[in-house]
């Protein structure tokens, strides 16, 4: 596996390939992203101004319910995530079965050789911009906005966009994991917005899956770094990307672990629910000890 000819890589047998997937051009999208990925910093700056300025604007005004819009929003994101997962997961599973774990974190054939997985990876990267809209609902509905929520949105957008500029090989895992968790997360959100009452354990499951995602993300970054240090294999990822990825995933793990403790473990030890809010797709309960 010193060098890989992407044209010789076999692909999963998709039951159907849509025209917009078949005509996907990874080279064009990479060139566009290389020219424009730094615009993400401007978008994040505007995002920060809007959410914190919006909080100030809403401080003395009645909250908006927006339940209908929230239902549509979460349903659309749930459908998008489900479709994205079903189109990218087969490639990851196929690679693991036929080429192994090391290949899966070192060779970006998921985008260079597979038009289906490549297209939905591109959609995944672009989706991080409209997903910032999650926070607008929190602000307008006057729910509690915690650091984890906006920090997660900003760093995911910037890291995903940056990783696409170099076709980071580890992103094969990140995309599939994120699509999977978001499929459950936004579906749960949509049901809550429609006034259904999913089992409370679902929220705990979502946070658990997020924690598992962060642990696996750290493991993947560490293993890819070891392969680079060994120097025997051609691992298509830069050291700066690995360092950023490990830093981001580890910070997510710490923040989600703290969130898990406050939301679920403290509740079991005699805490009282005071006010509900949301953070990145899981129900958040502001807790106050008795």
């Amino acid at each position: 596996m010193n060098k890989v000819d992407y044209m010789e890589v076999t692909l999963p047998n998709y039951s159907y390939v849509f025209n917009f997937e078949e005509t996907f051009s990874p080279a064009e999208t990479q060139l566009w992203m290389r020219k424009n990925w730094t615009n993400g910093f401007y978008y994040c700056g505007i995002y920060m101004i809007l959410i914190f300025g919006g909080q100030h604007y809403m401080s003395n005004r009645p909250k908006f319910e927006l339940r209908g819009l929230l239902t549509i929003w979460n349903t659309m994101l749930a459908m998008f995530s489900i479709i994205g997962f079903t189109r990218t997961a087969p490639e990851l599973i196929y690679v693991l079965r036929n080429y192994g774990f090391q290949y899966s974190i070192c060779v970006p054939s998921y985008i260079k050789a597979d038009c289906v997985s490549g297209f939905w990876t591109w959609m995944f990267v672009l989706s991080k911009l409209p997903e910032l809209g999650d926070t607008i609902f929190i602000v307008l509905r006057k729910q509690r906005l915690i650091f984890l929520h906006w920090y997660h949105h900003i760093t995911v957008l910037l890291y995903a966009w940056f990783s696409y500029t170099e076709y980071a090989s580890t992103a094969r895992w990140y995309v599939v994991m994120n699509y999977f968790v978001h499929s459950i997360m936004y579906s749960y959100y949509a049901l809550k917005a429609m006034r259904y009452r999913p089992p409370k354990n679902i929220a705990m499951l979502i946070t658990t899956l997020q924690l598992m995602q962060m642990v696996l993300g750290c493991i993947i970054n560490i293993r890819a770094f070891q392969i680079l240090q060994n120097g025997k294999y051609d691992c298509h990822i830069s050291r700066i990307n690995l360092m950023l990825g490990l830093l981001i995933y580890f910070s997510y793990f710490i923040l989600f672990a703290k969130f898990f403790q406050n939301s679920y473990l403290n509740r079991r030890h005699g805490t009282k629910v005071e006010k509900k809010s949301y953070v990145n797709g899981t129900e958040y309960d502001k807790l106050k000890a008795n």
Side-chain angles (χ1 to χ4, degrees), residues 263-278:
S263 299
Y264 310 113
L265 300 184
N266 287 350
R267 180 184 301 178
R268 292 179 177 180
H269 291 83
T271 54
K272 181 174 67 177
V273 175
E274 184 179 79
K275 183 180 179 182
K276 288 186 177 180
S277 187
Y278 297 90

mmCIF file of all heavy atoms in Angstrom, residues 263-278:
data_model
loop_
_atom_site.group_PDB
_atom_site.id
_atom_site.type_symbol
_atom_site.label_atom_id
_atom_site.label_comp_id
_atom_site.label_asym_id
_atom_site.label_seq_id
_atom_site.Cartn_x
_atom_site.Cartn_y
_atom_site.Cartn_z
ATOM 1 N N SER A 263 -26.571 16.310 32.275
ATOM 2 C CA SER A 263 -27.916 16.029 31.772
ATOM 3 C C SER A 263 -28.511 14.723 32.279
ATOM 4 O O SER A 263 -29.726 14.615 32.435
ATOM 5 C CB SER A 263 -27.901 15.999 30.237
ATOM 6 O OG SER A 263 -27.509 17.242 29.724
ATOM 7 N N TYR A 264 -27.666 13.719 32.542
ATOM 8 C CA TYR A 264 -28.195 12.402 32.865
ATOM 9 C C TYR A 264 -27.719 11.853 34.210
ATOM 10 O O TYR A 264 -28.532 11.375 34.997
ATOM 11 C CB TYR A 264 -27.841 11.421 31.740
ATOM 12 C CG TYR A 264 -28.201 11.947 30.384
ATOM 13 C CD1 TYR A 264 -27.211 12.260 29.450
ATOM 14 C CD2 TYR A 264 -29.528 12.177 30.018
ATOM 15 C CE1 TYR A 264 -27.539 12.763 28.194
ATOM 16 C CE2 TYR A 264 -29.869 12.682 28.779
ATOM 17 C CZ TYR A 264 -28.858 12.976 27.869
ATOM 18 O OH TYR A 264 -29.188 13.490 26.647
ATOM 19 N N LEU A 265 -26.436 11.935 34.483
ATOM 20 C CA LEU A 265 -25.924 11.355 35.723
ATOM 21 C C LEU A 265 -26.335 12.171 36.940
ATOM 22 O O LEU A 265 -26.760 11.614 37.954
ATOM 23 C CB LEU A 265 -24.398 11.243 35.667
ATOM 24 C CG LEU A 265 -23.846 10.379 34.535
ATOM 25 C CD1 LEU A 265 -22.332 10.271 34.639
ATOM 26 C CD2 LEU A 265 -24.474 8.991 34.563
ATOM 27 N N ASN A 266 -26.230 13.505 36.851
ATOM 28 C CA ASN A 266 -26.630 14.353 37.980
ATOM 29 C C ASN A 266 -28.115 14.226 38.273
ATOM 30 O O ASN A 266 -28.547 14.291 39.419
ATOM 31 C CB ASN A 266 -26.291 15.816 37.693
ATOM 32 C CG ASN A 266 -24.803 16.082 37.777
ATOM 33 O OD1 ASN A 266 -24.042 15.230 38.228
ATOM 34 N ND2 ASN A 266 -24.381 17.254 37.328
ATOM 35 N N ARG A 267 -28.883 14.029 37.213
ATOM 36 C CA ARG A 267 -30.331 13.888 37.385
ATOM 37 C C ARG A 267 -30.659 12.662 38.221
ATOM 38 O O ARG A 267 -31.622 12.640 38.969
ATOM 39 C CB ARG A 267 -31.002 13.790 36.012
ATOM 40 C CG ARG A 267 -32.513 13.640 36.075
ATOM 41 C CD ARG A 267 -33.101 13.451 34.691
ATOM 42 N NE ARG A 267 -32.802 14.567 33.824
ATOM 43 C CZ ARG A 267 -33.177 14.605 32.539
ATOM 44 N NH1 ARG A 267 -33.834 13.608 32.004
ATOM 45 N NH2 ARG A 267 -32.878 15.653 31.800
ATOM 46 N N ARG A 268 -29.851 11.625 38.080
ATOM 47 C CA ARG A 268 -30.101 10.390 38.824
ATOM 48 C C ARG A 268 -29.667 10.505 40.280
ATOM 49 O O ARG A 268 -29.955 9.627 41.087
ATOM 50 C CB ARG A 268 -29.353 9.234 38.167
ATOM 51 C CG ARG A 268 -29.913 8.859 36.794
ATOM 52 C CD ARG A 268 -29.118 7.720 36.189
ATOM 53 N NE ARG A 268 -29.679 7.302 34.910
ATOM 54 C CZ ARG A 268 -29.176 6.327 34.159
ATOM 55 N NH1 ARG A 268 -28.097 5.672 34.589
ATOM 56 N NH2 ARG A 268 -29.718 6.011 33.012
ATOM 57 N N HIS A 269 -28.943 11.574 40.597
ATOM 58 C CA HIS A 269 -28.449 11.742 41.964
ATOM 59 C C HIS A 269 -29.125 12.920 42.671
ATOM 60 O O HIS A 269 -28.498 13.721 43.346
ATOM 61 C CB HIS A 269 -26.931 11.927 41.960
ATOM 62 C CG HIS A 269 -26.184 10.699 41.571
ATOM 63 N ND1 HIS A 269 -25.980 10.347 40.253
ATOM 64 C CD2 HIS A 269 -25.609 9.720 42.327
ATOM 65 C CE1 HIS A 269 -25.293 9.211 40.208
ATOM 66 N NE2 HIS A 269 -25.067 8.810 41.446
ATOM 67 N N GLY A 270 -30.423 13.063 42.432
ATOM 68 C CA GLY A 270 -31.202 14.024 43.198
ATOM 69 C C GLY A 270 -31.169 15.442 42.695
ATOM 70 O O GLY A 270 -31.291 16.386 43.472
ATOM 71 N N THR A 271 -31.008 15.654 41.375
ATOM 72 C CA THR A 271 -31.078 16.995 40.826
ATOM 73 C C THR A 271 -32.476 17.272 40.322
ATOM 74 O O THR A 271 -33.263 16.382 40.049
ATOM 75 C CB THR A 271 -30.075 17.161 39.678
ATOM 76 O OG1 THR A 271 -30.313 16.128 38.720
ATOM 77 C CG2 THR A 271 -28.650 17.081 40.188
ATOM 78 N N LYS A 272 -32.771 18.540 40.145
ATOM 79 C CA LYS A 272 -34.116 18.937 39.751
ATOM 80 C C LYS A 272 -34.060 19.690 38.426
ATOM 81 O O LYS A 272 -33.240 20.576 38.240
ATOM 82 C CB LYS A 272 -34.735 19.832 40.819
ATOM 83 C CG LYS A 272 -36.167 20.278 40.481
ATOM 84 C CD LYS A 272 -36.788 21.027 41.634
ATOM 85 C CE LYS A 272 -36.116 22.344 41.892
ATOM 86 N NZ LYS A 272 -36.759 23.101 42.978
ATOM 87 N N VAL A 273 -34.943 19.315 37.480
ATOM 88 C CA VAL A 273 -34.983 19.977 36.190
ATOM 89 C C VAL A 273 -35.603 21.359 36.351
ATOM 90 O O VAL A 273 -36.676 21.513 36.907
ATOM 91 C CB VAL A 273 -35.815 19.140 35.186
ATOM 92 C CG1 VAL A 273 -35.963 19.892 33.880
ATOM 93 C CG2 VAL A 273 -35.165 17.790 34.963
ATOM 94 N N GLU A 274 -34.896 22.381 35.825
ATOM 95 C CA GLU A 274 -35.398 23.738 35.949
ATOM 96 C C GLU A 274 -35.888 24.301 34.618
ATOM 97 O O GLU A 274 -36.935 24.896 34.526
ATOM 98 C CB GLU A 274 -34.288 24.637 36.517
ATOM 99 C CG GLU A 274 -34.743 26.064 36.785
ATOM 100 C CD GLU A 274 -33.611 26.889 37.356
ATOM 101 O OE1 GLU A 274 -32.747 27.330 36.583
ATOM 102 O OE2 GLU A 274 -33.586 27.077 38.576
ATOM 103 N N LYS A 275 -35.102 24.108 33.577
ATOM 104 C CA LYS A 275 -35.467 24.690 32.299
ATOM 105 C C LYS A 275 -34.879 23.866 31.173
ATOM 106 O O LYS A 275 -33.716 23.499 31.219
ATOM 107 C CB LYS A 275 -34.953 26.129 32.205
ATOM 108 C CG LYS A 275 -35.360 26.853 30.925
ATOM 109 C CD LYS A 275 -34.800 28.261 30.936
ATOM 110 C CE LYS A 275 -35.176 29.001 29.660
ATOM 111 N NZ LYS A 275 -34.610 30.353 29.619
ATOM 112 N N LYS A 276 -35.668 23.602 30.131
ATOM 113 C CA LYS A 276 -35.193 22.796 29.020
ATOM 114 C C LYS A 276 -34.682 23.667 27.890
ATOM 115 O O LYS A 276 -35.197 24.730 27.626
ATOM 116 C CB LYS A 276 -36.311 21.895 28.486
ATOM 117 C CG LYS A 276 -36.646 20.737 29.421
ATOM 118 C CD LYS A 276 -37.637 19.815 28.771
ATOM 119 C CE LYS A 276 -37.921 18.616 29.685
ATOM 120 N NZ LYS A 276 -38.879 17.694 29.079
ATOM 121 N N SER A 277 -33.656 23.165 27.208
ATOM 122 C CA SER A 277 -33.148 23.802 26.006
ATOM 123 C C SER A 277 -32.558 22.705 25.133
ATOM 124 O O SER A 277 -32.776 21.529 25.380
ATOM 125 C CB SER A 277 -32.105 24.862 26.366
ATOM 126 O OG SER A 277 -31.735 25.589 25.217
ATOM 127 N N TYR A 278 -31.803 23.104 24.108
ATOM 128 C CA TYR A 278 -31.245 22.131 23.195
ATOM 129 C C TYR A 278 -29.792 22.436 22.895
ATOM 130 O O TYR A 278 -29.355 23.565 22.960
ATOM 131 C CB TYR A 278 -32.019 22.125 21.867
ATOM 132 C CG TYR A 278 -33.459 21.727 22.005
ATOM 133 C CD1 TYR A 278 -34.442 22.680 22.230
ATOM 134 C CD2 TYR A 278 -33.829 20.403 21.913
ATOM 135 C CE1 TYR A 278 -35.763 22.308 22.365
ATOM 136 C CE2 TYR A 278 -35.150 20.015 22.040
ATOM 137 C CZ TYR A 278 -36.109 20.971 22.261
ATOM 138 O OH TYR A 278 -37.418 20.610 22.386
#
